Amino acid sequence: MKLILVLSGFFLMLQLSAQDTAFQTYYEKSHYLATPRYAETIEFCKKLDKASPILKYTTFGKSPQGRDLPLLIADKNGNFTAEAVRKSGNAVLLIEACIHAGECDGKDAGLMLLRDIAIYKKSLPLLDHVTILFIPILNTDGHERFGPYNRVNQNGPEEMGWRTTAQNLNLNRDFMKADAPEMQAWHKLYNEWLPEFFVDCHVTDGADFQYTMTYALETNGCMEKNLSEWTRNICESYLVSEMKKSGFPVFPYVEFRNWHDPRSGLTQTVAPPMLSQGYTAVQNRPGLLIETHMLKPYKARVTSTYTMLTHTIEILNKEYKSLQALETKADEFTASEKFRKEPFPVSFSESYADSTQIEFLGFEYTIDTSDLTGGLWFKYNNQKPTVWQLTMFPNCKADKYVTLPEAYLIPPQCISVIEGLQLHGVKMTKLNHEVTCSVKSSRFGKMRWQQKPFEGHHKLTYELADSIEQRTFPAGTMLVEMNQRTARVIAHLLEPASPDSYASWGFFDAYLEQKEYSESYVMETLAREMIQKNPSLKAEFDQKKAADKNFDADPDAMLNWFYSKSPYWDSRLNLYPVGRIVNRSEIDKIKQ
Ligand SMILES: [Zn+2]
């Protein structure tokens, strides 16, 4: 009897250890030092799919170099379509790793977590009310620019991918303009599923301190009020306390008032919607940014990511119904007239009005003057943990508001803008006839283009002169009404005052170029005729010459000035092609 028990125990152990080896991840096999390449990652995902009825491997697009964008879906009921999951009542959690492909902690943590849930059945209840979409590698091309020297600040794995895509775009600046094919595919996936919660896994740079992980949740302004409160009071407080219990105390994303200098105090920011968690916030869906600390060993970073993902799924299982109800309400509110009547903030900055003293788990450090550069040299001693008493500036302030219209009219030639809005899930109506109506128009002035490109664009700043006028829009114009759940996204994209608008990214630059010029000898004659007809023009001209030295020294500019006052001038120069409908009655007329 004893022998049988011992033998059966032995065979069970053998079986378990065979199972363990079969489903060990590349990272585990490497003794927690290395991360798998793209092909090995996909192979492992397929293996999980084959072995488990509750996991499905699929793809959701292709990279510019032709790599499939991988997706693992975990659902306890074997529902693998957005429609079936919606019907089941489950909440959807989207976890994304390797948007910055050198920061691969989320890939290795996510693969282990899904394996543990689905194959080892360690924590199957995590899937009771939550369906997980896991993107192990979003930036697949960047991931295959693989090497040991891709992250100068980062302590492992042995080799890793590269921050940007093959097109050298940073996907975590691309959520609004969506230039990259990878981001366009992400938007299609996002809109198909509209996940209740989103997690984006990174590794941070910056100062050295004790926390293995810092995080950011949008609770400071961009998101609807009740959802922000849920995020702060329910979600954040749960994650912070559970992470502490699990041995990984966490702290909000660390940004010092003066970069690198802890003595200057800690600030909080509102992530603009070009960033992942800032983007989901304007979609009325909370997003969690996790940033493991670059100098911590790879194993500690992956374990802390695994732990944070687990606690996130736990709170979603507890809260899925109330979160779903809050998001439905946030969507309804965003589509309501009440929302459009409020001033809408499009940019935020730090506020230094209030501060509090906090304790921060840092390391002892000294500040020397570098004999190499003359700059300050912060020397952290990670053998000497200490508690820093820091000033925290916990608030942000909105520094630019816009008035929201009832609808936008986008003429059909604005092809990339129309396609972009559709990617964001924006609903629109194509008008099959020409319309003339009263709109609020903007004219750009004092444009300044950034000298250096940013994400392939020379962003610009400008002043806007608004006026109400009658304008005619051709057949094929898109009517984008604001009584829809994506109204925050639409406002950020179409209000030129928003730093993330298409206008600010330069999508309308061609409309800011003068395309017709007068010959000087033609204009010399015409200017005289104009003065003869309208003598006050000469006074205006003299005034401008007296006030503007550059103008006074530039005959071409002077003649162009007269040209601008003539009927030949391009009335559409610097005109924002998009019109805003302010009165609902205009929409009813257009739709008749
Ligand atoms: Zn990152």
Side-chain angles (χ1 to χ4, degrees):
M1 186 67 183
K2 246 186 185 174
L3 183 70
I4 291 169
L5 269 180
V6 169
L7 271 180
S8 65
F10 176 72
F11 285 122
L12 187 68
M13 268 169 62
L14 266 185
Q15 219 177 356
L16 275 177
S17 73
Q19 192 190 36
D20 274 353
T21 320
F23 288 98
Q24 252 191 340
T25 65
Y26 185 96
Y27 156 75
E28 289 166 317
K29 284 181 196 162
S30 77
H31 303 288
Y32 317 104
L33 296 172
T35 196
R37 297 288 293 257
Y38 172 80
E40 290 145 349
T41 307
I42 304 302
E43 194 189 326
F44 189 76
C45 289
K46 286 180 176 168
K47 194 169 164 179
L48 291 180
D49 171 317
K50 214 174 161 190
S52 170
I54 64 169
L55 284 181
K56 183 176 172 63
Y57 170 74
T58 182
T59 63
F60 65 98
K62 267 197 196 297
S63 70
Q65 291 185 341
R67 292 186 180 88
D68 287 329
L69 303 179
L71 177 72
L72 262 179
I73 308 172
D75 183 282
K76 205 175 186 178
N77 307 309
N79 291 325
F80 299 123
T81 64
E83 206 189 343
V85 172
R86 281 275 151 255
K87 266 190 200 156
S88 76
N90 266 16
V92 178
L93 163 66
L94 172 61
I95 302 169
E96 163 186 290
C98 293
I99 184 171
H100 293 150
E103 305 164 18
C104 41
D105 310 20
K107 173 185 61 176
D108 287 315
L111 290 175
M112 285 198 305
L113 180 59
L114 290 186
R115 184 264 330 260
D116 287 351
I117 296 173
I119 307 292
Y120 296 168
K121 300 190 170 52
K122 265 189 194 170
S123 36
L124 208 50
L126 288 177
L127 293 184
D128 279 355
H129 306 294
V130 176
T131 298
I132 301 170
L133 305 182
F134 175 54
I135 303 173
I137 307 172
L138 177 60
N139 174 12
T140 54
D141 293 346
H143 190 275
E144 291 309 282
R145 186 176 162 181
F146 209 71
Y149 304 113
N150 285 348
R151 294 272 297 161
V152 63
N153 301 319
Q154 195 170 297
N155 181 11
E158 286 164 350
E159 291 185 276
M160 65 205 73
W162 185 253
R163 181 176 180 82
T164 52
T165 68
Q167 294 173 322
N168 213 25
L169 292 174
N170 181 345
L171 290 175
N172 203 21
R173 303 292 179 271
D174 199 31
F175 280 87
M176 290 300 268
K177 62 184 173 59
D179 285 330
E182 296 92 330
M183 188 46 63
Q184 292 166 10
W186 185 95
H187 277 298
K188 283 180 194 154
L189 178 78
Y190 190 81
N191 280 297
E192 188 190 343
W193 288 84
L194 208 56
E196 273 86 348
F197 202 89
F198 168 73
V199 184
D200 193 16
C201 304
H202 290 254
V203 183
T204 195
D205 292 323
D208 197 6
F209 42 72
Q210 294 178 49
Y211 301 99
T212 304
M213 175 178 284
T214 57
Y215 69 93
L217 282 158
E218 278 319 294
T219 55
N220 274 319
C222 266
M223 202 161 56
E224 190 269 341
K225 197 173 127 274
N226 295 319
L227 257 183
S228 298
E229 276 173 18
W230 178 89
T231 305
R232 188 186 305 114
N233 300 334
I234 308 288
C235 180
E236 183 173 13
S237 63
Y238 180 82
L239 294 177
V240 169
S241 87
E242 290 306 304
M243 284 300 281
K244 195 174 177 186
K245 281 186 216 161
S246 302
F248 290 106
V250 292
F251 195 86
Y253 189 73
V254 173
E255 245 173 306
F256 297 121
R257 188 174 181 176
N258 299 329
W259 184 242
H260 273 306
D261 194 343
R263 298 166 303 175
S264 63
L266 285 157
T267 62
Q268 291 286 288
T269 51
V270 172
M274 70 171 176
L275 302 176
S276 59
Q277 85 277 16
Y279 179 74
T280 64
V282 296
Q283 282 274 9
N284 299 329
R285 301 293 180 269
L288 168 67
L289 172 85
I290 58 183
E291 297 268 2
T292 58
H293 191 265
M294 65 200 181
L295 294 176
K296 303 294 178 285
Y298 193 50
K299 187 179 180 185
R301 282 165 29 212
V302 174
T303 310
S304 71
T305 304
Y306 182 104
T307 311
M308 185 60 133
L309 293 176
T310 306
H311 292 318
T312 305
I313 305 168
E314 283 164 10
I315 187 71
L316 291 177
N317 268 287
K318 285 183 212 279
E319 283 286 320
Y320 76 107
K321 275 204 169 143
S322 53
L323 178 60
Q324 284 173 334
L326 278 171
E327 290 180 353
T328 304
K329 279 197 173 160
D331 284 353
E332 285 166 6
F333 172 69
T334 307
S336 72
E337 198 179 349
K338 195 161 176 254
F339 171 68
R340 297 194 291 284
K341 295 286 177 231
E342 293 175 359
F344 181 71
V346 289
S347 71
F348 293 83
S349 59
E350 296 87 2
S351 165
Y352 301 116
D354 301 307
S355 67
T356 101
Q357 290 298 307
I358 56 116
E359 294 193 334
F360 183 91
L361 302 178
F363 291 122
E364 284 185 12
Y365 66 95
T366 53
I367 308 168
D368 290 352
T369 301
S370 163
D371 56 357
L372 196 63
T373 66
L376 291 182
W377 183 2
F378 285 80
K379 291 178 175 170
Y380 294 96
N381 183 346
N382 64 13
Q383 299 307 305
K384 292 196 171 169
T386 185
V387 177
W388 296 347
Q389 304 294 329
L390 294 183
T391 305
M392 166 86 131
F393 302 95
N395 298 321
C396 297
K397 61 177 193 308
D399 45 26
K400 217 188 268 176
Y401 288 93
V402 296
T403 306
L404 296 178
E406 286 292 319
Y408 294 89
L409 286 170
I410 310 175
Q413 71 273 15
C414 301
I415 297 164
S416 53
V417 167
I418 292 168
E419 287 175 355
L421 286 162
Q422 286 165 338
L423 268 180
H424 286 278
V426 173
K427 305 270 186 298
M428 53 187 82
T429 312
K430 191 175 187 173
L431 303 176
N432 54 16
H433 52 90
E434 182 184 281
V435 289
T436 300
C437 62
S438 169
V439 292
K440 186 170 107 179
S441 279
S442 287
R443 278 180 170 75
F444 296 92
K446 296 192 177 167
M447 292 81 76
R448 277 171 173 264
W449 280 265
Q450 276 182 1
Q451 204 190 354
K452 274 189 183 174
F454 176 62
E455 294 304 315
H457 294 255
H458 293 265
K459 286 195 80 176
L460 65 154
T461 57
Y462 33 72
E463 286 178 6
L464 294 164
D466 295 341
S467 60
I468 300 285
E469 59 187 358
Q470 289 286 116
R471 270 170 62 185
T472 299
F473 290 82
T477 289
M478 292 294 184
L479 172 70
V480 179
E481 293 182 70
M482 287 293 272
N483 56 0
Q484 54 180 312
R485 57 163 299 279
T486 52
R488 286 165 208 272
V489 182
I490 301 169
H492 276 287
L493 288 169
L494 291 183
E495 282 301 326
S498 162
D500 258 326
S501 63
Y502 286 122
S504 169
W505 282 104
F507 282 65
F508 294 101
D509 277 8
Y511 300 89
L512 311 179
E513 297 171 33
Q514 185 179 340
K515 297 295 170 84
E516 278 285 356
Y517 293 87
S518 65
E519 287 298 344
S520 59
Y521 57 89
V522 174
M523 211 56 230
E524 289 281 0
T525 312
L526 187 60
R528 280 165 182 77
E529 285 170 13
M530 287 164 69
I531 291 168
Q532 210 170 24
K533 270 189 208 161
N534 178 13
S536 68
L537 194 62
K538 178 69 167 61
E540 200 186 327
F541 176 62
D542 289 338
Q543 251 179 17
K544 179 146 177 75
K545 278 182 22 149
D548 185 342
K549 270 186 192 167
N550 292 335
F551 182 73
D552 193 33
D554 188 344
D556 288 340
M558 289 188 236
L559 289 176
N560 206 43
W561 183 83
F562 279 103
Y563 178 34
S564 77
K565 304 280 174 189
S566 81
Y568 295 97
W569 184 251
D570 176 7
S571 63
R572 295 187 193 174
L573 178 63
N574 298 340
L575 172 69
Y576 186 37
V578 176
R580 306 174 189 83
I581 298 177
V582 180
N583 294 319
R584 186 86 218 155
S585 58
E586 291 286 337
I587 301 175
D588 300 335
K589 268 192 269 171
I590 287 169
K591 281 179 144 180
Q592 268 171 13

